[in-house]
């Protein structure tokens, strides 16, 4: 069955466009800030294993600023259109954006400067934002009766959200004494639950809707989807066991199961691309395919890290490959597809001929971003592996250049959309002016 | 390919597939590299493409569009909501003249070949048509056909499908 009858109830399910856009605009601005902060932190990044400073600030600019903002915006719009259900209220989404922006900025400021009150205050606000988001998403998931695989992935993601929030707040408020692990173990568990659990499971679940939607294919085969649905959370749970017990073989087992989960997921995605009616999927899917390669690499690096085979810079390399390599690459690929698509949906039937999606912004900017992003990922990863801050700095600067091009593209789409909205309003006679 | 069950939806879906396959070929032929190099209409592959452009697009914007507008959009509006049919109808109105222009230019090229001016016009119309039609088909596949599956029963679908196939000739 096609994954979603996306448009059947469209008017009720399409949010006011500026609600998802504000999350997406936040994400693209944070994207620029992330690469710039990474350039400032190039010297410290190579041997980073945790602790406050610019690297931790940059890390959270990426995770909260870019990744979480993108997911919050996409999920708040995509879930209602995919399930055919309306939000019970838009208030939690609106409130969550304000809390999220304020919380992330304070938290990052606290991490960078070591300010005593900023990180706890920011952490509390961010937790409130994510709980409001979870309330919104959980309500839709609770009411839907189909899209079994994506819905279960989303529930597991929300469970991981609860876990990573507890661990994150524990780290911020330094309540680590009650847990069977040292502070570094807690930080690693927090990272695994946030990146693989909350973000990763949501990405796997929504990929089962978005990839068939853009490729115009059926849903992935049930066997692939079910296998990844079972194996991915199992790998995360076992990885947490490995971290807390400090048993390397358990972490390696998690990596092996994670690899199987990724293989099953990618088998399903490849099936969609092979069987989809649309073959020319453009630059966005070049990035998405690149992200899939890095996703495949992720459990391999995790397994090598468990046995200490990645050297001293292993933790930084593993974290960078997972967050910037897989998740950032995937989400920028999706974002450049979703933002014009949503603009096109919202411009339909407004009386003025809508521009083509390719006319909403200069698509050459996406080419600049893709090249710079690829160079940045390779250089920063290479710089970390070689212990060479100069290469890491060069990569971060390439990333900054690419992120500026990307931000320019997304802002241009928003400006074109705004111009079309204004033109449509001018053409529609006001109620009192109908002759 | 989709798990559609009603004969009418399967027919409409198969037509979408045919159209998308043609548009993929058209987009490939109109790639940026070809901007300064008009297609050689003496080449059999090019002649086949232009012939298919004329026939497939004609069927799409005449029988396919007309059948949807006369028989399906009103029903969809009554049973579900009017947003989707209104949006799709608006797109038909934009795509139809573009498709007719592309068809005319393809037919003209089959007879006379392309010069710089007709090639530029064909490229511009073809690329815009491909982009708008792909987005349109995407919307029909995502929302319209699943919606029809909800509102039509098997008998009605069979009856409408016979009428559709007859309209197509």
């Amino acid at each position: 069955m096609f994954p979603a009858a996306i448009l059947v109830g469209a008017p009720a399910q399409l949010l006011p466009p500026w609600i998802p856009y504000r999350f997406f605009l936040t994400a693209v601005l944070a994207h620029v800030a992330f690469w710039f902060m990474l350039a400032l932190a190039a010297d410290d990044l190579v041997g980073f294993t945790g602790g406050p400073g610019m690297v931790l600030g940059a890390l959270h600019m990426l995770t909260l600023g870019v990744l979480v903002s993108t997911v919050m915006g996409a999920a708040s719009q995509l879930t209602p259109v995919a399930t055919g259900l309306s939000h019970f209220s838009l208030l939690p989404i609106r409130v969550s954006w304000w809390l999220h922006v304020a919380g992330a900025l304070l938290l990052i400021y606290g991490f960078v400067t070591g300010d005593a009150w900023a990180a706890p205050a920011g952490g509390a606000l961010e937790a409130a934002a994510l709980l409001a988001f979870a309330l919104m998403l959980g309500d839709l998931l609770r009411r839907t009766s189909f899209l079994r695989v994506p819905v279960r992935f989303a529930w597991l993601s929300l469970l991981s959200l609860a876990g990573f929030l507890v661990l994150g707040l524990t780290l911020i408020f330094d309540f680590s004494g009650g847990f069977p692990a040292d502070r570094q173990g807690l930080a690693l568990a927090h990272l695994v639950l946030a990146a693989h659990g909350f973000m990763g499971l949501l990405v796997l679940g929504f990929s089962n809707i978005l990839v068939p939607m853009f490729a115009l294919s059926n849903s992935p085969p049930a066997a692939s989807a079910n296998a990844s649905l079972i194996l991915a959370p199992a790998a995360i749970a076992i990885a947490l066991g490995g971290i807390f017990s400090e048993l390397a073989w358990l972490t390696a087992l998690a990596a092996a199961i994670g690899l199987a989960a990724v293989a099953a997921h990618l088998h399903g995605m490849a099936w969609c691309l092979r069987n989809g009616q649309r073959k020319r999927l453009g630059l966005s899917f070049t990035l998405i395919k690149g992200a899939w390669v890095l996703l495949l690499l992720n459990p391999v690096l995790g397994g090598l890290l468990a046995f200490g085979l990645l050297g001293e810079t292993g933790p930084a390399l593993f974290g960078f490959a997972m967050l910037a390599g897989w998740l950032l690459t995937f989400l920028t690929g999706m974002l450049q597809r979703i933002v014009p698509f949503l603009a096109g949906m919202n411009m339909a039937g407004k009386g003025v001929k809508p521009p083509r999606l390719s006319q909403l912004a200069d698509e050459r900017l996406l080419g600049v971003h893709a090249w710079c992003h690829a160079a940045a990922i390779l250089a920063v990863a290479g710089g970390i592996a070689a212990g060479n801050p100069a290469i890491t700095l060069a990569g971060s600067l390439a990333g900054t250049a690419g992120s500026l091009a990307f931000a320019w593209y997304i802002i241009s789409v928003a400006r074109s959309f705004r111009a079309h909205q204004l033109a449509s309003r001018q053409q529609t006679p006001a109620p009192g002016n109908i002759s | 390919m989709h798990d559609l069950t009603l004969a009418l939806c399967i027919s409409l879906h198969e037509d979408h597939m045919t159209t998308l396959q043609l548009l993929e070929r058209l987009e490939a032929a109109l790639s940026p590299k070809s901007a300064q190099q008009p297609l050689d209409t003496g080449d059999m592959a090019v002649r086949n493409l232009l012939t298919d452009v004329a026939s497939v697009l004609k069927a799409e914007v005449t029988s396919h569009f007309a059948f949807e507008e006369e028989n399906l959009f009103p029903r969809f509006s009554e049973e579900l909501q009017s947003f989707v049919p209104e949006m799709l109808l608006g797109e038909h109105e934009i795509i139809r003249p573009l498709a007719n222009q592309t068809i005319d230019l393809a037919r003209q090229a089959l007879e006379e070949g392309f010069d710089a001016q007709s090639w530029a016009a064909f490229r511009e119309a073809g690329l815009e048509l491909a982009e708008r039609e792909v987005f349109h088909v995407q919307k029909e596949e995502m929302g319209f056909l699943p919606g029809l599956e909800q509102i039509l029963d098997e008998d009605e679908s069979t009856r409408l499908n016979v009428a559709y196939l007859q309209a197509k000739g």
Side-chain angles (χ1 to χ4, degrees), chain A residues 158-169:
Chain A
L158 290 185
L159 191 64
S160 302
L161 167 67
F164 100 75
L165 273 182
V166 169
L167 291 177
L169 290 173

Side-chain angles (χ1 to χ4, degrees), chain B:
Chain B
M1 186 164 61
H2 292 196
D3 197 11
L4 297 166
T5 55
L6 299 178
L8 175 68
C9 294
I10 292 168
S11 293
L12 293 169
H13 169 73
E14 284 171 353
D15 284 353
H16 287 159
M17 207 156 76
T18 306
T19 304
L20 284 178
Q21 282 166 356
L22 171 73
L23 293 174
E24 296 249 340
R25 285 166 60 204
L26 181 63
E27 281 180 304
L30 302 181
S31 68
K33 284 179 195 165
S34 71
Q36 306 302 325
Q37 185 64 48
L39 291 179
D40 174 10
T41 53
D43 183 330
M44 266 320 283
V46 170
R47 295 196 72 77
N48 287 340
L49 172 66
L50 295 174
T51 307
D52 290 347
V53 163
S55 61
V56 172
L57 288 181
K58 194 74 191 166
E60 173 73 7
V61 300
T62 51
S63 52
H64 186 104
F65 278 16
F67 189 83
E68 288 178 340
E69 288 166 14
E70 288 163 18
N71 299 282
L72 305 179
F73 290 173
R75 181 73 199 278
F76 197 102
S77 297
E78 276 170 27
E79 298 275 343
L80 289 171
Q81 34 83 351
S82 60
F83 172 81
V84 170
E86 281 170 9
M87 176 176 65
L88 298 175
L89 181 60
E91 290 178 354
H92 282 185
E93 285 164 6
I94 294 170
I95 291 168
R96 195 177 275 122
L98 259 177
N100 285 331
Q101 185 192 356
T102 310
I103 292 164
D104 289 345
L105 287 164
R107 285 180 177 156
Q108 189 187 329
L110 281 168
E111 288 175 14
E112 303 165 14
F114 284 115
D115 59 22
Q117 198 181 354
S118 64
W119 174 239
F122 182 73
R123 271 196 93 238
E124 193 181 330
L127 286 171
E128 179 170 359
L129 172 71
E131 191 172 343
R132 290 192 185 277
E133 176 67 14
V134 167
F135 195 27
H136 176 71
V137 169
Q138 213 162 20
K139 289 174 186 170
E140 291 208 351
E141 290 281 325
M142 288 189 313
F144 186 57
L145 297 188
L148 287 179
E149 288 264 325
Q150 287 177 26
I151 60 178
L152 298 179
D153 61 30
E154 213 163 301
D155 290 344
E156 196 174 10
S157 155
T158 306
R159 185 178 56 75
L160 284 166
N161 191 44
V162 170
Y164 177 56
L165 296 177
Q166 281 173 349
K168 279 172 63 179

Side-chain angles (χ1 to χ4, degrees), chain A residues 31-417:
Chain A
H31 185 206
V32 178
F34 157 67
W35 283 113
F36 185 66
M37 289 171 77
L38 207 62
L40 294 178
D43 283 343
D44 300 328
L45 175 62
V46 167
F48 181 72
T49 53
M54 188 61 84
V55 178
L56 192 65
L59 176 70
H60 284 81
M61 186 58 84
L62 171 60
T63 53
L64 296 176
V66 187
L67 307 179
V68 171
S69 297
T70 304
V71 160
M72 286 172 85
S76 64
Q77 176 59 95
L78 185 67
T79 315
V81 291
T83 58
L85 298 169
S86 299
H87 288 291
F88 74 95
S89 163
L90 297 183
L91 190 65
I93 313 168
R94 292 183 199 274
V95 169
S96 70
W97 181 77
W98 287 102
L99 290 170
H100 170 60
V101 171
L105 285 174
L106 262 178
L107 187 66
I108 293 162
Y109 173 78
F111 284 155
V112 173
T113 63
D115 187 289
W117 65 270
L125 287 174
E126 188 61 45
L130 288 167
L131 289 174
F133 168 73
L135 176 72
M136 174 278 290
L137 185 58
D139 172 65
L140 291 170
L141 299 177
R142 180 181 61 80
R143 285 187 283 140
T144 191
S145 55
F146 60 109
L147 293 173
R148 190 185 61 84
V149 169
V151 164
R152 288 183 184 180
F153 266 119
W155 276 123
L156 290 163
S157 164
L158 290 185
L159 191 64
S160 302
L161 167 67
F164 100 75
L165 273 182
V166 169
L167 291 177
L169 290 173
T170 303
L171 285 162
I172 292 171
F173 289 97
D174 210 12
F175 291 154
S176 57
F179 284 81
D182 61 9
R183 193 174 169 83
Q184 200 157 5
L186 280 186
L188 191 56
H190 167 72
L191 175 68
V192 166
L193 273 174
H196 286 126
F198 172 54
M199 293 293 310
L201 294 175
L202 211 51
V203 161
L204 294 194
F206 276 115
S207 294
N208 282 278
I209 298 173
L210 287 169
V211 172
M213 183 177 102
F214 289 124
L216 280 171
S217 80
N218 232 334
S219 291
S224 305
N226 287 334
S228 64
L229 180 62
I230 293 165
L231 292 170
I236 292 167
I238 294 169
L240 292 176
I243 291 165
F244 287 126
S245 65
E246 297 184 18
L247 293 172
W249 67 264
L250 206 53
T251 311
L253 176 66
I257 294 172
L259 192 61
V262 170
H265 175 70
L266 295 185
H267 178 263
M269 295 297 102
W271 184 92
C272 290
L273 297 187
R274 223 173 27 250
N275 292 283
Q277 293 175 53
R278 186 72 178 144
K279 303 293 180 197
R280 297 169 69 86
L281 291 165
L283 190 56
S284 62
F285 268 78
T286 306
L287 283 173
I288 288 166
K289 287 173 191 171
W292 284 339
V293 172
L294 290 159
L295 169 60
L296 204 52
L297 197 62
N298 211 245
V300 176
L301 290 176
L304 294 173
L305 184 66
F307 289 107
L309 296 174
L310 284 181
E312 285 181 11
T313 59
L317 186 62
F318 173 68
F320 181 79
M322 170 169 55
L323 296 171
W326 165 39
L327 286 169
L328 180 62
T329 308
F330 184 86
L331 289 180
T332 49
M334 273 299 169
L335 207 50
Q336 64 185 256
R337 193 91 193 189
I338 290 173
V339 171
F341 189 89
L342 272 182
M345 291 293 298
N346 279 294
M347 286 190 297
K350 292 278 188 343
V352 175
K353 182 182 175 182
R356 292 149 62 181
L357 298 190
S358 63
Q359 288 175 331
L360 291 172
D362 187 344
E363 292 189 330
R364 287 174 300 181
L365 292 166
L366 296 177
V368 172
H369 164 255
W371 281 109
C372 289
H373 182 79
I377 296 294
L378 289 173
V380 174
I384 294 171
N388 187 328
I391 302 174
T392 306
L393 175 63
S396 305
L397 291 175
T400 308
S403 66
L404 283 168
F406 193 75
W408 190 0
Y409 174 82
I410 298 292
I411 290 167
S412 300
V413 173
R415 283 166 56 96
S416 298
F417 172 69

